[in-house]
Amino acid sequence: MAGTQYVVFSINQQIFGIEIFKIKEVLSYRKITSLPQVEKFVRGIINLRGAVIPVFDLREKFNLPAKEYTKFHVIIVVEIAGRIMGVIVDEISDVLEILPEEFQTTGNLPSNLRREYLKGVGKKQDEMIILLDIDRLLSPEELELVDAA
Amino acid sequence: MRNPIHELLKNMKMRTKILAATIVAVSVFMGPSLYQSLVIHKKTAMNQASEFSDHMLDNIYSAIRFPMSVGDEKTVKEQMKDVKEHMDGVQVYILDFYHKIAYTSEKERIGSSIEKYLQGSESRKALSEALETGKAPGISFPEMENKDPFLVTIKPILNESSCHHCHGSSRKVLGAMVIKQPVKKVFAAINHTRNRLIIYFAAALIGLVVFINFFFSRLVSRRIQLLKEQTSLVAAGDVTVEAIDDDNRDSIGSLSRNFNQMVKGIRDRMEYANSLKLGIIDPFLMVDPEMNVTFINENAARMSGLSPDEAIGRPCHEVFHSSACDKDCPIKKALDTGEIAEGKRMTLTDRKGNEIPAMSISSILKDSSGKVLGAFAIIRDLTSEVKAEKSLQEAYLKEGKAKQELEKKVEDLSRILKQVAKGDFTMRGTLSGTEDAMDVMTKRINETLDSIVNLIVQVKNQIVPVIRGVAHISEGNQSLSQRTQQQASSMEEVSATLEQLVLNTTENLTNTRNADSLSKDAVEVAQEGVEEVEKTSHAMVEMSTASQKIVEMVELINEITFQTNLLSINAAVEAARAGEQGRGFAVVATEIRNLAKRSGAASKDIQTLVREIMSKVTATGHWVDKLKGSFTKIVQTSKQVSDALGETSLGNEESSKGIEQISQGTQEMTAVNEKNAYFVEEISQETQKLMEKARQLHHISGVFILGDKDEQKEEDLKIEKDPLPARKNRRKSEALSTPLHKDLLTKPPVDDLNEDLLEKEFEGGFEEF
């Protein structure tokens, strides 16, 4: 056994995975209240059952071309370094269990991704899933910005 | 009183009148003012004298008052003496109320009554009043004493308190004081002034009169004088006066101009009358009421044999010796009756004893008041008229003679023409050789008769060729008859062929009609097809709408699938958190996720399918539209076909009719042909008759008697008779013409004269034969 469950989603046809335990909830896209004077990748805040959660867009973070939001976009509520926040992704596809033999670290990664927030790549039925280390996704400066929001 | 003045004024000159009027007017207006000024002057001088007397009186009174109040008589007397000495001529009297003089400057008059020295009754009366009432009269009184004028002034002396001690107080008036002042010098001054005024006035009067007269003379009387002189000349009959040159705009100026205008008018009228008088070219003379000649023009003078100057002034009968002078003188008649005497014919005898036939018109001359001034006469010389009359009579006689001769000639010609009418052309008109119109006419008639004779000879010559020509016609007619028969048989053939053609055409027409009805059916079917296509098109639209709805439904399913997926992931997350306890739940979550996946795939399939359907519907829609277009075209084309067929049908009917008409025409032609055959027969018969007539004509022309030419004619006939048998032989082979020639030969010409025409026309002619 010893496999780890990942929630798999796609941004700009690239498939990413986040460890299931890091995920609090998955929401359909809803209206985001934008905030003034914050970094562009921070979209704003949403109200989740009384709690105010900052939301950012991974497209921005990964320097991918911006895309208009539809009702089929998904906000994944995650816990990053003890903070609850929402991440906007294009599409959520599956919950997969990556076995250790399917997991591998690799040096050949897309240029827009930094190594520090990558865990590795999961190979599943000829599909390559980029596994993100959510805790390292944001730099301390970015975290401060999110806190400020 | 008025009449003498009027007479006087009437006989006065204008200038004198104006002078008198000026003097009177100036005197009337200046006299009273002169008198008034004299009166005023005198009054002023007298007033001054009177005032002076009053002053003197007051002075003297005040001088004597004190001495008198104290009874100092001596002083009073001294005063009086002073007055006498120093005041030249002034007399002072102081009197009591009995008019007795108490003191005076004239010592010798003391004690006498004042009445003696007051001459005027007015002054005496004034004195008595003053003594009674104590009031001064207020005026002075002029009086005369020893021819010297004095001014008397009276003042009563009142009984004042200072007098009471002598005179007591019972009387109001104690006496009076009278001063007589000499006014001779004053009067002299007044007279002097008056005289000078009169002299000045007279001088002014004379000056004014002279002045006015001068101007009047300049402005009026001289011009009027000139006008008078000129008008006198005109009145005397001299209208050659010069125009007055007066350009003033006053009434005399316009009078002068009017005068000029008038004179010019008179001159114009006279000139007009003169030009009328001189413009008469006929002999013309004017006489006074005593019948003395006052005017005679050149032509009349020439007629009379005197010069105009010799004639003027003589009595009329001495100038013209006329048959009318003793009685019926037209001038005398005009003078007696005052009417125009015209058209009087007379004979004038001139100085040489020649008689001149003449005619005269006379009328009187009157002035504006109707007074007879004389008469005038216009004489016309009738010599040429009388001559013309004579020649006309001669001509008339000549004409009568000529007419008789002409009638004779006409009778001759008439006789000849009568003979001609009977057919005898041997006689000719005789020519007189005068070359007049009648001679020319006779010549023409002779020529005409000659040409007629020639013509008849020619006719006779021409008849034989006519007979020959008729024979030719007869021959031609025969061949025409044959051809007509041939034509008739070919016409029958044509007719048969045409009948067949009519049958065929009728069949063709029926077929066309069938085709027409079939094409109409086709149109109907095509129309139905269009309707069906339209229904289909409608159904396609409905299908498209339904597909759209399906797409909407699929969208909804997609959404649900998406939510379900989210739910399953959430469930998986929760199950992972729950660990071992959540394992079962995780399975459920996976199942749900699979379900969502499947339904998502299914919905995607549906979506694809529906999109395909929709694109196909759209494509089909295009095809249906095209189909619709095609059907519409079919309908149109079918209609056109139907119309064309209709037209063809009509055309067929027309051609059928046409053929029928042709057939009819052919039948008619056949009938005509038959008639032609008949006509040919007729012509043949008529030709025979014509031949006969020609022959008869030949005989008839022999009737005319043509003199020497006629003999030649008979020879011609003999010559003609000879060639005929030869011709007869030639024509024997041609059956038609043979009988005609036989007739011509066998029957002698005169035997055929039993014709009506000949009997009527030439009955007379035969008798002569």
Side-chain angles (χ1 to χ4, degrees):
Chain A
M1 133 89 217
T4 315
Q5 275 190 317
Y6 285 88
V7 171
V8 180
F9 56 89
S10 68
I11 303 168
N12 204 31
Q13 264 83 49
Q14 284 180 0
I15 300 165
F16 298 90
I18 297 175
E19 219 178 323
I20 200 162
F21 294 113
K22 296 290 177 187
I23 288 168
K24 289 294 217 185
E25 203 174 331
V26 182
L27 304 172
S28 61
Y29 180 78
R30 59 198 63 192
K31 195 176 180 309
I32 297 165
T33 310
S34 57
L35 291 169
Q37 294 176 332
V38 290
E39 276 292 316
K40 205 178 174 190
F41 79 99
V42 181
R43 280 284 150 204
I45 47 172
I46 56 167
N47 184 345
L48 180 67
R49 293 184 289 276
V52 174
I53 304 168
V55 178
F56 63 92
D57 192 344
L58 273 185
R59 271 176 175 271
E60 287 290 333
K61 177 73 187 167
F62 297 155
N63 289 325
L64 294 170
K67 198 180 167 190
E68 209 168 302
Y69 298 127
T70 68
K71 58 184 176 183
F72 294 111
H73 275 81
V74 179
I75 301 171
I76 304 171
V77 182
V78 290
E79 194 180 342
I80 301 173
R83 298 171 184 85
I84 306 293
M85 52 180 72
V87 178
I88 302 170
V89 300
D90 283 0
E91 194 179 358
I92 196 145
S93 45
D94 215 341
V95 178
L96 292 175
E97 190 170 24
I98 308 283
L99 298 173
E101 57 268 25
E102 291 167 340
F103 180 86
Q104 65 177 83
T105 56
T106 176
N108 300 329
L109 285 168
S111 59
N112 59 337
L113 298 176
R114 284 191 219 157
R115 190 166 293 275
E116 57 258 32
Y117 49 72
L118 286 185
K119 236 181 204 165
V121 175
K123 284 173 80 183
K124 199 80 178 176
Q125 296 158 4
D126 299 335
E127 261 189 294
M128 296 290 283
I129 301 158
I130 301 160
L131 305 173
L132 299 172
D133 186 352
I134 198 79
D135 286 327
R136 294 195 192 161
L137 192 63
L138 300 179
S139 61
E141 295 83 38
E142 282 169 341
L143 282 172
E144 269 176 38
L145 273 172
V146 173
D147 285 347
Chain B
M1 194 63 195
R2 202 197 151 187
N3 277 345
I5 289 174
H6 187 65
E7 285 298 313
L8 190 69
L9 285 172
K10 216 165 85 176
N11 295 326
M12 262 159 76
K13 275 189 172 180
M14 189 70 191
R15 232 169 144 168
T16 324
K17 273 185 213 171
I18 296 296
L19 187 65
T22 314
I23 292 168
V24 168
V26 171
S27 305
V28 163
F29 288 108
M30 282 181 76
S33 73
L34 174 72
Y35 173 74
Q36 203 60 34
S37 65
L38 285 174
V39 167
I40 288 164
H41 181 73
K42 193 177 172 186
K43 206 173 176 184
T44 314
M46 290 302 282
N47 278 347
Q48 278 177 353
S50 163
E51 222 167 279
F52 179 66
S53 296
D54 280 347
H55 279 297
M56 210 152 60
L57 201 65
D58 287 341
N59 280 340
I60 294 164
Y61 179 70
S62 54
I64 65 167
R65 192 172 151 265
F66 181 69
M68 277 180 75
S69 65
V70 294
D72 186 358
E73 283 188 17
K74 197 182 167 190
T75 310
V76 173
K77 279 178 184 168
E78 278 302 312
Q79 286 277 353
M80 291 299 133
K81 212 172 157 184
D82 274 1
V83 167
K84 179 74 179 172
E85 278 173 12
H86 293 100
M87 296 186 178
D88 187 26
V90 175
Q91 300 171 11
V92 178
Y93 302 93
I94 295 167
L95 41 135
D96 61 12
F97 54 82
Y98 298 113
H99 298 194
K100 203 177 113 192
I101 299 166
Y103 308 98
T104 179
S105 55
E106 313 298 307
K107 261 193 233 168
E108 68 276 1
R109 290 178 185 176
I110 291 174
S112 57
S113 171
I114 189 74
E115 308 286 325
K116 268 190 204 169
Y117 310 108
L118 293 175
Q119 271 76 27
S121 57
E122 280 181 21
S123 55
R124 283 183 200 162
K125 204 178 160 191
L127 179 65
S128 308
E129 254 176 47
L131 284 174
E132 234 163 86
T133 60
K135 280 180 185 167
I139 53 166
S140 303
F141 305 96
E143 282 190 3
M144 298 293 282
E145 189 183 326
N146 299 330
K147 293 183 182 175
D148 285 335
F150 283 92
L151 201 62
V152 177
T153 312
I154 300 162
K155 183 180 169 77
I157 299 166
L158 299 175
N159 191 8
E160 290 171 29
S161 56
S162 59
C163 306
H164 290 170
H165 62 94
C166 287
H167 300 287
S169 61
S170 63
R171 281 183 185 273
K172 193 183 171 190
V173 181
L174 293 177
M177 199 167 162
V178 173
I179 285 185
K180 278 180 84 176
Q181 194 193 347
V183 289
K184 194 179 175 181
K185 281 182 187 167
V186 173
F187 271 40
I190 289 169
N191 284 344
H192 180 70
T193 311
R194 185 191 62 202
N195 291 344
R196 283 174 79 174
L197 268 174
I198 287 169
I199 287 162
Y200 288 147
F201 171 72
L205 188 64
I206 289 161
L208 197 61
V209 165
V210 167
F211 182 77
I212 288 172
N213 217 32
F214 172 73
F215 272 97
F216 180 76
S217 154
R218 249 341 252 275
L219 294 175
V220 179
S221 63
R222 246 192 246 173
R223 291 159 66 195
I224 288 179
Q225 186 66 27
L226 181 63
L227 202 58
K228 192 197 96 187
E229 280 163 16
Q230 300 286 63
T231 49
S232 308
L233 284 174
V234 172
D238 179 9
V239 290
T240 60
V241 292
E242 274 178 37
I244 298 167
D245 182 23
D246 190 338
D247 59 353
N248 286 314
R249 295 198 168 208
D250 57 12
S251 54
I252 294 171
S254 66
L255 188 64
S256 300
R257 281 193 292 280
N258 287 349
F259 170 73
N260 290 343
Q261 200 74 29
M262 206 165 76
V263 169
K264 193 180 174 290
I266 291 168
R267 235 183 273 157
D268 288 348
R269 269 152 205 275
M270 284 178 77
E271 196 52 46
Y272 174 73
N274 259 336
S275 54
L276 265 184
K277 194 167 79 180
L278 294 173
I280 297 170
I281 296 166
D282 281 329
F284 175 75
L285 80 156
M286 284 161 74
V287 296
D288 61 13
E290 280 73 45
M291 305 276 286
N292 292 322
V293 174
T294 54
F295 174 81
I296 185 161
N297 69 358
E298 285 288 337
N299 284 336
R302 203 179 302 131
M303 213 173 178
S304 73
L306 292 171
S307 75
D309 292 336
E310 283 172 333
I312 287 170
R314 288 202 194 192
C316 174
H317 59 86
E318 278 182 22
V319 177
F320 285 102
H321 302 286
S322 152
S323 62
C325 276
D326 303 329
K327 50 164 192 172
D328 264 358
C329 173
I331 300 174
K332 201 164 186 193
K333 196 180 163 196
L335 279 173
D336 290 346
T337 59
E339 285 169 2
I340 298 168
E342 60 175 328
K344 179 72 192 167
R345 279 187 91 141
M346 59 179 82
T347 313
L348 295 175
T349 315
D350 68 4
R351 303 272 144 191
K352 292 165 190 167
N354 296 327
E355 290 197 341
I356 305 165
M359 193 159 83
S360 108
I361 298 169
S362 300
S363 184
I364 54 162
L365 297 165
K366 288 191 281 188
D367 68 3
S368 60
S369 60
K371 188 188 156 198
V372 176
L373 293 176
F376 68 85
I378 299 171
I379 300 158
R380 192 176 299 155
D381 187 344
L382 295 179
T383 314
S384 56
E385 277 95 334
V386 168
K387 237 185 238 172
E389 234 168 71
K390 245 181 217 170
S391 64
L392 200 68
Q393 269 177 348
E394 279 167 20
Y396 185 72
L397 278 174
K398 256 188 212 168
E399 208 182 326
K401 248 184 227 171
K403 201 180 163 194
Q404 278 181 344
E405 278 175 32
L406 194 69
E407 270 172 8
K408 203 186 155 211
K409 282 182 185 172
V410 169
E411 265 172 33
D412 285 351
L413 280 178
S414 166
R415 213 176 317 122
I416 291 164
L417 289 174
K418 205 174 171 189
Q419 284 302 108
V420 169
K422 287 172 183 168
D424 182 359
F425 287 85
T426 52
M427 280 175 84
R428 292 290 182 271
T430 44
L431 298 173
S432 65
T434 49
E435 292 291 328
D436 61 359
M438 203 56 215
D439 229 28
V440 170
M441 191 176 143
T442 311
K443 216 190 257 176
R444 297 268 178 278
I445 288 172
N446 287 348
E447 282 169 15
T448 310
L449 291 175
D450 288 347
S451 13
I452 291 172
V453 166
N454 269 331
L455 200 68
I456 294 168
V457 169
Q458 278 174 21
V459 168
K460 281 184 175 178
N461 289 342
Q462 291 300 318
I463 286 168
V464 175
V466 167
I467 292 168
R468 268 182 228 149
V470 170
H472 274 300
I473 292 168
S474 183
E475 199 182 328
N477 204 31
Q478 186 66 24
S479 84
L480 183 64
S481 171
Q482 281 174 2
R483 285 196 189 131
T484 311
Q485 274 180 352
Q486 277 177 3
Q487 201 182 3
S489 71
S490 44
M491 284 314 276
E492 264 170 34
E493 273 174 38
V494 169
S495 186
T497 317
L498 274 173
E499 263 170 42
Q500 191 58 42
L501 187 60
V502 168
L503 275 176
N504 290 347
T505 311
T506 315
E507 209 174 310
N508 193 11
L509 183 61
T510 321
N511 289 343
T512 311
R513 276 179 189 152
N514 286 344
D516 186 29
S517 87
L518 282 175
S519 87
K520 273 176 187 157
D521 288 351
V523 170
E524 264 170 46
V525 171
Q527 196 70 46
E528 278 168 20
V530 170
E531 278 163 25
E532 288 302 318
V533 168
E534 268 173 9
K535 274 182 198 166
T536 312
S537 172
H538 193 66
M540 299 292 279
V541 171
E542 274 178 11
M543 207 163 140
S544 179
T545 319
S547 301
Q548 196 62 46
K549 268 183 189 161
I550 292 168
V551 169
E552 278 166 27
M553 298 294 276
V554 170
E555 290 272 307
L556 194 67
I557 291 166
N558 271 346
E559 212 170 306
I560 293 164
T561 313
F562 170 74
Q563 294 292 345
T564 313
N565 194 33
L566 281 191
L567 197 67
S568 71
I569 287 166
N570 278 331
V573 169
E574 287 303 321
R577 274 180 206 281
E580 276 304 310
Q581 283 84 12
R583 198 160 289 272
F585 188 56
V587 174
V588 173
T590 309
E591 283 308 312
I592 290 170
R593 201 163 54 249
N594 288 339
L595 192 67
K597 268 181 191 164
R598 273 213 304 277
S599 68
S603 89
K604 248 176 206 155
D605 285 349
I606 291 166
Q607 224 163 357
T608 316
L609 204 61
V610 169
R611 283 218 178 90
E612 263 173 34
I613 288 168
M614 275 174 80
S615 75
K616 275 191 184 143
V617 165
T618 315
T620 317
H622 284 305
W623 286 115
V624 168
D625 280 347
K626 275 186 187 170
L627 193 61
K628 206 165 136 187
S630 303
F631 266 115
T632 315
K633 255 186 200 166
I634 288 168
V635 169
Q636 278 174 1
T637 317
S638 298
K639 269 186 187 159
Q640 280 168 0
V641 168
S642 180
D643 288 348
L645 279 173
E647 276 168 23
T648 312
S649 170
L650 271 178
N652 272 345
E653 272 172 26
E654 272 171 20
S655 64
S656 173
K657 270 182 202 162
I659 289 162
E660 266 170 34
Q661 278 170 359
I662 290 167
S663 175
Q664 223 174 323
T666 315
Q667 278 172 10
E668 273 169 24
M669 265 166 81
T670 311
V672 168
N673 218 28
E674 275 169 24
K675 273 184 194 164
N676 280 353
Y678 174 72
F679 288 151
V680 169
E681 280 289 307
E682 287 283 302
I683 288 167
S684 176
Q685 282 177 20
E686 289 301 315
T687 316
Q688 280 188 16
K689 279 182 189 168
L690 189 64
M691 189 66 108
E692 247 168 80
K693 291 279 175 199
R695 204 161 38 84
Q696 281 168 10
L697 188 62
H698 184 242
H699 292 301
I700 289 160
S701 60
V703 167
F704 295 112
I705 303 156
L706 303 172
D708 47 351
K709 278 187 181 175
D710 207 21
E711 286 164 25
Q712 285 177 357
K713 185 74 207 152
E714 278 167 21
E715 281 167 23
D716 283 349
L717 260 177
K718 277 173 194 166
I719 295 164
E720 261 179 32
K721 276 177 184 174
D722 285 332
L724 274 172
R727 264 180 219 157
K728 180 194 156 192
N729 292 336
R730 208 156 33 106
R731 302 222 175 196
K732 250 185 180 167
S733 54
E734 297 155 18
L736 244 172
S737 52
T738 318
L740 281 172
H741 287 281
K742 265 181 186 166
D743 278 356
L744 197 67
L745 269 174
T746 51
K747 285 178 187 171
V750 192
D751 289 352
D752 270 8
L753 288 174
N754 55 352
E755 288 282 328
D756 289 358
L757 186 84
L758 282 173
E759 274 172 12
K760 275 180 195 165
E761 291 280 323
F762 296 101
E763 237 170 356
F766 292 145
E767 280 170 19
E768 282 195 5
F769 277 74

